């Protein structure tokens, strides 16, 4: 994502079939609700930079997702953010996270 992008909208990549890797601009601070719902080819995400919040259902149904690198600035992970991700085997939550919603990894059996 270009460094000029400072904000993305809810559900913006919902159901993108060919999206397999995402690396965010340093200016983005929030991953909005449902941003990557059902992006079935998404395998890797790097949430570096200033991302402080992952809203609910952000990665729901990203069944191929295996690798997630979370921002060291991350403070909030809302409910069901990593819901129904069968391929995810490891999720390290930074010590900077102070608020988590219920079931952030609901129906994600390997985490």
């Amino acid at each position: 994502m270009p460094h000029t992008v400072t904000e993305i909208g809810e559900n913006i990549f919902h159901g993108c079939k060919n999206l397999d890797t995402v690396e965010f601009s340093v200016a983005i601070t929030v991953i909005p609700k449902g941003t990557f719902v059902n992006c079935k080819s998404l395998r890797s995400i790097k949430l570096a930079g200033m991302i402080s919040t992952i809203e609910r259902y952000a990665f729901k149904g990203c069944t191929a997702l295996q690798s997630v690198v979370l921002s060291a600035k991350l403070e909030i992970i809302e409910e069901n953010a990593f819901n129904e991700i069968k391929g995810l085997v490891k999720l390290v939550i930074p010590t900077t996270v102070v608020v988590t919603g219920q079931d952030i990894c609901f129906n994600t059996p390997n985490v």
Side-chain angles (χ1 to χ4, degrees), residues 71-83:
S71 167
K73 304 279 186 183
L74 189 63
E75 296 177 350
I76 300 168
I77 303 174
E78 292 185 358
E79 66 272 3
N80 296 299
F82 297 97
N83 190 6

Side-chain angles (χ1 to χ4, degrees), residues 70-71 74 77 82 91-98 100 104-105 111:
L70 298 175
S71 167
L74 189 63
I77 303 174
F82 297 97
L91 180 66
V92 177
I93 298 174
T95 57
T96 54
V97 173
V98 292
T100 59
I104 62 170
C105 292
V111 175

Side-chain angles (χ1 to χ4, degrees), residues 16-110:
C16 284
K17 295 177 183 176
N18 298 318
L19 185 65
D20 66 352
T21 318
V22 174
E23 186 170 338
F24 285 92
S25 157
V26 294
I28 293 175
T29 59
V30 175
I31 305 299
K33 178 176 81 175
T35 300
F36 297 100
V37 169
N38 293 326
C39 290
K40 305 283 185 192
S41 297
L42 188 59
R43 295 178 293 114
S44 174
I45 297 171
K46 185 176 180 183
L47 302 179
M50 301 304 292
I51 294 172
S52 63
T53 303
I54 299 174
E55 293 186 352
R56 65 181 180 246
Y57 306 113
F59 300 101
K60 179 183 178 190
C62 295
T63 54
L65 188 59
Q66 298 173 354
S67 173
V68 178
V69 177
L70 298 175
S71 167
K73 304 279 186 183
L74 189 63
E75 296 177 350
I76 300 168
I77 303 174
E78 292 185 358
E79 66 272 3
N80 296 299
F82 297 97
N83 190 6
E84 299 175 12
I85 304 175
K86 309 292 187 214
L88 191 61
V89 293
K90 184 176 182 181
L91 180 66
V92 177
I93 298 174
T95 57
T96 54
V97 173
V98 292
V99 176
T100 59
Q102 292 183 324
D103 298 324
I104 62 170
C105 292
F106 180 75
N107 206 13
T108 300
N110 298 318

Side-chain angles (χ1 to χ4, degrees), residues 1-14:
M1 205 167 292
H3 294 296
T4 55
V5 176
T6 59
E7 188 176 299
I8 54 176
E10 291 182 0
N11 300 303
I12 192 162
F13 298 109
H14 184 275

